[in-house]
Amino acid sequence: MKRFICLLLLLTLITQSFNKLGLILAFKVNQDYITANFCENKDKPEMNCNGRCFLAKKIKLAEQNEEKHRVENLEKTNILFFCKMNKLEVNESVPENGHLTFNPFYLKFKPSRFANDIFKPPQKVFA
């Protein structure tokens, strides 16, 4: 069942990606019928259009439809950024010898939009 669903999704993606190729193949298969029924230049045989005007219209229509869907999708897209605010607490005073056991840089830590849950400041080193 999983294999069938994967193949169906893959086929859907391929169909969307190669829709212009599908239009061209359908045109080549039905070129005689299109030339006889839909060609706008039937009365001008010196142009040798053979239905290419119809194909050009269909490709242009497909591109406009694709662009319309792209714009609609961009309008519907909401981008949210989540940032976990890390609050540092220092409960110790400076030792008698005046040597700090932690880096004071972390007291001024300001999370950016790229902050993630993996970041953890170094712990106190016991020597």
Side-chain angles (χ1 to χ4, degrees), residues 23-35:
L23 286 172
I24 294 170
L25 288 175
F27 171 74
K28 287 294 183 185
V29 169
N30 300 319
Q31 189 170 7
D32 295 331
Y33 177 76
I34 291 171
T35 302

Side-chain angles (χ1 to χ4, degrees), residues 50-117:
N50 296 330
R52 288 190 207 106
C53 55
F54 181 76
L55 175 63
K57 280 185 177 181
K58 285 292 186 180
I59 289 176
K60 185 176 180 181
L61 183 67
E63 287 175 353
Q64 289 173 348
N65 193 15
E66 185 178 322
E67 184 64 29
K68 184 180 82 170
H69 285 296
R70 186 179 301 130
V71 169
E72 287 175 1
N73 286 340
L74 285 175
E75 289 174 358
K76 292 178 184 178
T77 303
N78 293 328
I79 300 174
L80 299 175
F81 290 102
F82 293 98
C83 178
K84 181 179 178 183
M85 300 297 288
N86 295 324
K87 184 177 180 183
L88 298 175
E89 294 181 16
V90 178
N91 296 327
E92 295 182 22
S93 61
V94 178
E96 298 85 37
N97 61 4
H99 181 69
L100 295 175
T101 57
F102 64 91
N103 187 346
F105 167 78
Y106 293 107
L107 292 176
K108 299 175 186 172
F109 175 71
K110 294 178 183 173
S112 67
R113 68 179 185 175
F114 300 109
N116 54 29
D117 292 337

